[in-house]
Amino acid sequence: MRLNQCHNFHDFRRLARQRLPGPIFDYIDGGADDECSQRRNSRSFEDCDLVPNVLRGVREIDLSVTVMGQKLATPFYCSPTALQRLFHYQGERAVAAAAAKLGTLFGVSSLGTVSLEELRKTHDTPQIYQFYFHRDRGLNRAMMQRAKEAGVEVMMLTVDSITGGNRERDLRTGFSIPFRLTPAGMLQFAIKPMWGLQYVTHERFKLPQLEDHVDMSGGAMSIGRYFTDMLDPSMNWDDVAEMVQSWNGPFCLKGIISVEDARRAADIGCAGIILSNHGGRQLDGSRAPFDHLAEVVDAVGDRIDVMMDGGIQRGTHILKALSLGAKAVGLGRYYLYPLAAAGQPGVERALGLLRTELERDMKLMGCTSISQLSRENLRFR
């Protein structure tokens, strides 16, 4: 399979599987425990039907939205994800360039492999910096100050990862940073030599947001152990309220599910929340964001921008989320598979196909702008 033969999420996933060593593919592809939440995230959209209108005059389609004060050309954005230069040597550079070309927002993770300063200088589209709450409170303050000095528009705190999820695929292969693989994992790298050649012939892998604060050179650290050992499970609402005040700009919480938590986020001054179960990678069995979206929008949608991620594979999925009241949706695996398979051309193709699909779907729905979508467009089975 070649890139020009990829027409949807599943095609990009197959191409990534062909080209990546097993441990790397499984890190992207896998979820926690039995991966029930991961599967439900996508299947939840199947329980909802679209009700289109016709004869509405839909020659021109406007996909733009404003989220947390940021104008986006599309109602989808590239969520911050970790370790991108492990998947392809271009990493965040490819994703940021593709998002900027599309005119949408992209996120940089505290576990990112390209510095947020470099990406901020290179692209002028809106940028989110996503960070975790570490036991070292000084590190938390330093990361926020660094993002402010770099000119990042939106600060995002991930709140559903105070300890690592049970990602059994990684345990079987020995996936860690640096690599400390099981024999089966090493065999997978041996049969996919092109990935290894690219890895060793390009710049050294590093975590520039953390390298001054966290020493990962002394031995292999699994991602689960990073969450468990480095992050602070005692984080509470008072800590977050202090960060919101300190940032003094658009502040977003990622990993909210319950209505109670959504209300608390609005009460402390957050500009947005992202309904998310971390792509099914943390608490298996947690509710799918789309299943819970209407309840949260009804509770706080008039006070705070509500977004969601998890399971987005089609333009129709985005239409359904927007019709329920989401302001925008985040993509994760949707762009990681094409990144891993083909770098920047892969991400550009995937995002471009999704935009084209969404434009076509809007026409078929009889809507010329996102504001025309509503729950009248939906029926649940």
Side-chain angles (χ1 to χ4, degrees):
M1 174 179 271
R2 298 186 301 273
L3 180 61
N4 63 6
Q5 296 174 305
C6 292
H7 300 287
N8 59 40
F9 172 89
H10 305 288
D11 292 341
F12 289 115
R13 180 178 179 271
R14 280 192 289 271
L15 186 59
R17 187 166 209 160
Q18 287 177 14
R19 298 186 177 183
L20 284 178
I24 304 291
F25 177 82
D26 279 336
Y27 173 73
I28 300 173
D29 197 61
D33 292 354
D34 298 312
E35 302 184 350
C36 298
S37 288
Q38 180 182 346
R39 292 190 296 273
R40 177 61 195 168
N41 282 353
S42 290
R43 291 175 181 173
S44 60
F45 294 98
E46 298 175 8
D47 296 330
C48 176
D49 295 328
L50 292 165
V51 181
N53 292 307
V54 297
L55 303 176
R56 297 300 176 97
V58 290
R59 180 175 297 174
E60 300 296 329
I61 302 297
D62 179 11
L63 295 180
S64 65
V65 294
T66 298
V67 182
M68 295 182 292
Q70 313 305 310
K71 182 70 176 290
L72 311 183
T74 66
F76 57 85
Y77 60 88
C78 295
S79 296
T81 57
L83 311 180
Q84 290 181 20
R85 287 190 59 247
L86 272 187
F87 316 144
H88 189 278
Y89 67 89
Q90 293 176 332
E92 289 88 350
R93 296 183 181 106
V95 177
K101 190 172 182 178
L102 198 71
T104 195
L105 177 150
F106 67 94
V108 184
S109 171
S110 55
L111 282 167
T113 54
V114 177
S115 75
L116 63 94
E117 290 88 354
E118 176 189 331
L119 297 170
R120 182 68 291 171
K121 290 175 183 176
T122 307
H123 306 288
D124 58 6
T125 44
Q127 181 172 321
I128 277 183
Y129 179 52
Q130 173 271 337
F131 75 110
Y132 298 101
F133 194 81
H134 292 79
R135 296 176 190 267
D136 180 351
R137 303 299 176 94
L139 171 55
N140 297 328
R141 289 190 293 271
M143 287 194 297
M144 289 183 61
Q145 183 61 32
R146 179 175 176 177
K148 189 178 293 289
E149 292 173 357
V152 170
E153 287 88 354
V154 182
M155 179 62 72
M156 173 192 289
L157 176 66
T158 295
V159 293
D160 62 357
S161 303
I162 56 173
T163 190
N166 181 36
R167 303 175 193 175
E168 293 174 355
R169 294 204 213 183
D170 295 346
L171 296 177
R172 293 189 185 97
T173 64
F175 179 87
S176 60
I177 306 298
F179 295 124
R180 183 170 292 174
L181 298 167
T182 63
M186 286 187 283
L187 176 62
Q188 287 293 313
F189 278 83
I191 63 178
K192 299 287 178 67
M194 185 56 69
W195 180 93
L197 181 64
Q198 290 184 338
Y199 182 76
V200 299
T201 56
H202 290 87
E203 65 182 286
R204 180 179 62 87
F205 176 86
K206 58 182 180 179
L207 300 173
Q209 273 68 257
L210 291 176
E211 60 186 356
D212 292 337
H213 305 279
V214 179
D215 182 12
M216 290 189 173
S217 63
M221 174 178 281
S222 71
I223 298 303
R225 204 186 106 211
Y226 165 80
F227 286 141
T228 302
D229 292 355
M230 304 296 296
L231 305 188
D232 189 352
S234 69
M235 175 177 62
N236 59 42
W237 283 103
D238 291 337
D239 295 320
V240 178
E242 183 179 327
M243 285 186 284
V244 172
Q245 294 301 313
S246 175
W247 178 249
N248 193 30
F251 197 102
C252 176
L253 297 185
K254 180 178 183 294
I256 297 289
I257 289 291
S258 77
V259 167
E260 180 184 0
D261 286 347
R263 289 189 175 120
R264 292 289 293 272
D267 289 343
I268 64 173
C270 289
I273 55 172
I274 299 175
L275 268 65
S276 175
N277 59 21
H278 216 95
R281 294 162 71 81
Q282 286 296 100
L283 178 66
D284 197 28
S286 60
R287 190 152 167 79
F290 181 72
D291 284 336
H292 210 58
L293 178 59
E295 191 172 335
V296 172
V297 169
D298 287 346
V300 300
D302 58 340
R303 302 173 59 198
I304 193 170
D305 285 351
V306 178
M307 294 148 281
M308 66 149 286
D309 64 31
I312 301 291
Q313 298 179 2
R314 284 290 186 184
T316 50
H317 294 172
I318 298 174
L319 284 184
K320 292 173 183 180
L322 298 174
S323 296
L324 280 184
K327 293 295 180 68
V329 303
L331 308 175
R333 293 181 181 93
Y334 187 93
Y335 75 80
L336 287 178
Y337 293 128
L339 169 66
Q344 185 175 335
V347 182
E348 288 186 3
R349 179 170 175 81
L351 297 183
L353 286 171
L354 187 60
R355 178 180 59 189
T356 299
E357 193 172 308
L358 189 54
E359 288 174 343
R360 180 174 58 248
D361 293 339
M362 287 282 287
K363 290 179 179 179
L364 293 173
M365 286 297 295
C367 297
T368 59
S369 68
I370 301 301
S371 62
Q372 293 176 1
L373 295 170
S374 74
R375 295 184 192 181
E376 292 298 314
N377 302 133
L378 306 178
R379 295 294 184 274
F380 284 86
R381 297 179 189 176

